[in-house]
Amino acid sequence: MSLFSRSGFETFVHGLAGTSLVDQWESRVAKVGEKVFALLTDGENRLAFKVSEESFEILTALDGISQAPYFAKRKWVTVNPDTELSEADVRDYLTRSYRTVSASLTRKLRSELGIAD
């Protein structure tokens, strides 16, 4: 199931500890705790997620990937379904985004959400 479909995105997100999904900003938004780590736009089925500074430079040089609007200062990218990244690469970047954001939660909250340190 493609990550660029609502059902594929939801299935992937539910496989990560302590996550929730909400409809917000005309998108399906994935959160860990109350912090956003990824979203899937309703109209274009584009993914957006947080990346490291190094990954931001690499990814935004690829076709189908650009700086995410509204998240510009925090190193987020938007990935179109026709990206040259493989599905496995996109899954890896989404997992990295989840780990980055969940690491910013308190140890107590991570424990409550079932997130291993």
Side-chain angles (χ1 to χ4, degrees):
M1 211 173 326
S2 171
L3 289 171
F4 294 94
S5 71
R6 192 173 177 105
S7 60
F9 180 72
E10 289 177 354
T11 298
F12 177 79
V13 169
H14 284 307
L16 302 169
T19 59
S20 62
L21 288 159
V22 296
D23 290 315
Q24 187 175 347
W25 309 313
E26 297 179 9
S27 301
R28 193 68 170 145
V29 178
K31 296 182 177 186
V32 58
E34 288 301 313
K35 296 187 177 197
V36 175
F37 71 92
L39 61 89
L40 175 70
T41 62
D42 287 339
E44 303 86 12
N45 291 335
R46 290 180 292 143
L47 288 168
F49 49 87
K50 186 174 185 65
V51 295
S52 69
E53 192 164 330
E54 300 80 22
S55 293
F56 182 84
E57 297 302 323
I58 293 166
L59 291 172
T60 55
L62 299 175
D63 288 337
I65 302 176
S66 60
Q67 181 176 356
Y70 312 112
F71 292 100
K73 293 182 182 178
R74 293 189 173 86
K75 301 294 185 219
W76 280 67
V77 295
T78 298
V79 181
N80 293 323
D82 63 352
T83 181
E84 59 187 274
L85 284 178
S86 69
E87 185 89 6
D89 287 338
V90 174
R91 286 178 189 278
D92 183 51
Y93 279 110
L94 283 171
T95 302
R96 289 183 200 181
S97 179
Y98 164 80
R99 287 183 183 146
T100 298
V101 173
S102 66
S104 70
L105 302 174
T106 65
R107 176 171 280 149
K108 179 181 178 190
L109 183 54
R110 286 193 311 268
S111 177
E112 289 171 3
L113 293 172
I115 301 169
D117 281 335

